[in-house]
Amino acid sequence: LQIAAERVKRGEDNLYDLLINIPPGTTKTTICIVMYPVWIWLIYPQARILTLNYSATGAKDKSVLSKDIIKSDKFKRFFPEIVIRPDIDNKEVYQNTMGGERVAKGIKGSVLSGHYHFILPDDPLNITEAGSKLKMDTTNSMISKIATTRKVDKAITFTCMIMQRLHESDPSGMWLSKEGLKIKHINLPAKDNGKIKPAFLKLSMLMECWIH
C-alpha cells in the first residue's frame, strides 16, 4: 500500500492493483478505508481518493472516521500541514488545503464526475444480494465502469478492492477472471482451505498461533 502511494505520487505506472479477500471482523475496513486514505495524504497530500461501499451510508460513515483522525488534536500536533478546507467539508466530500480530495459513494450511486488517483471499493456487494445474479452482475458492471472511467490515468491510478468472498462470480471473481488485469491477490480465508495467498502468509499465521 505504501509503495502504491509513492508510485502514484511520482506518476509512475502501477505495478498492479490489489485484491484483498478476508473475513469480516478482521479490521480490513479500519486499515484500508479509514486509515489508509489518511496515510496517503501524508505521502501525497494532493491525492484525490474515491472510496466505495455497497451502502452509501456505510461509505460516508467510514470517510467521517478518517476525517476524525485528521481533525484530532494528536494528528494536528504531528501533521499540522494536513488541514481540511472549511468550505468543502461534508460526509460525502471533503478536501484539504493542498488540493487533495476524499469522496465517499455507494456503489449504486452516481459517480459521474471527477477522476481519482486512488479507487478503494470496500465490500461493494451486499451479502444479502450475493444470491441474485442480476444484482451481482449490476455491481460487477459498476465496478468495471468506475475502474475504467474514473481514473486520473489508467496506468497510474491505484485500485484496491477489499471484501469477503460471497460467490464465485462476485466482484472478486470478476476481477480474477479478467485477462490482462495486473492484480496482486491477498486471500486470507477464515479457515485454511488450501487457498491462502501469498503462500508465505500461511506460515506467518501458523507462527502467530504457535506463539499465542
Side-chain angles (χ1 to χ4, degrees):
L1 293 173
Q2 179 175 350
I3 291 172
E6 291 171 345
R7 290 185 70 88
V8 172
K9 179 182 179 180
R10 293 193 296 265
E12 297 176 357
D13 284 4
N14 240 341
L15 298 174
Y16 48 75
D17 288 326
L18 182 61
L19 171 63
I20 302 175
N21 292 136
I22 193 167
T26 52
T27 70
K28 62 182 177 64
T29 296
T30 299
I31 293 172
C32 296
I33 303 300
V34 176
M35 294 182 176
Y36 184 49
V38 178
W39 191 16
I40 289 171
W41 273 0
L42 295 180
I43 297 170
Y44 183 24
Q46 293 78 23
R48 297 195 294 277
I49 305 165
L50 172 64
T51 54
L52 301 160
N53 186 272
Y54 71 83
S55 161
T57 299
K60 288 185 281 189
D61 286 347
K62 302 305 183 296
S63 183
V64 169
L65 290 175
S66 299
K67 184 165 56 174
D68 287 344
I69 293 174
I70 295 170
K71 289 188 173 184
S72 69
D73 291 338
K74 182 177 289 187
F75 187 91
K76 289 178 181 178
R77 285 200 303 273
F78 287 99
F79 310 105
E81 69 277 11
I82 306 297
V83 179
I84 302 295
R85 284 181 53 169
D87 58 328
I88 306 178
D89 180 2
N90 58 68
K91 290 184 177 182
E92 186 174 289
V93 182
Y94 52 86
Q95 296 182 0
N96 65 43
T97 55
M98 288 184 277
E101 181 178 54
R102 170 76 179 270
V103 176
K105 293 275 191 177
I107 194 67
K108 295 178 182 176
S110 297
V111 187
L112 300 177
S113 63
H115 294 85
Y116 304 93
H117 300 95
F118 297 84
I119 298 175
L120 309 175
D122 170 46
D123 285 332
L125 181 66
N126 189 330
I127 191 170
T128 63
E129 297 180 349
S132 167
K133 185 177 185 303
L134 175 61
K135 291 179 179 179
M136 192 154 46
D137 288 349
T138 299
T139 298
N140 289 346
S141 177
M142 285 298 297
I143 289 285
S144 295
K145 182 178 181 181
I146 291 167
T148 55
T149 64
R150 295 297 101 205
K151 293 184 174 183
V152 168
D153 186 309
K154 290 182 180 180
I156 295 173
T157 292
F158 176 64
T159 304
C160 175
M161 181 158 62
I162 314 101
M163 65 176 293
Q164 60 174 313
R165 287 307 304 266
L166 301 173
H167 189 278
E168 62 181 11
S169 299
D170 64 13
S172 292
M174 180 266 294
W175 259 27
L176 293 171
S177 66
K178 280 195 172 183
E179 295 184 4
L181 285 183
K182 300 180 295 181
I183 296 174
K184 183 171 184 178
H185 186 200
I186 297 176
N187 186 45
L188 295 174
K191 296 182 178 180
D192 183 4
N193 58 4
K195 297 181 180 180
I196 293 174
K197 294 181 180 180
F200 75 84
L201 291 178
K202 179 176 180 177
L203 178 59
S204 299
M205 292 167 70
L206 289 173
M207 287 293 291
E208 184 174 348
C209 291
W210 180 79
I211 290 170
H212 292 288

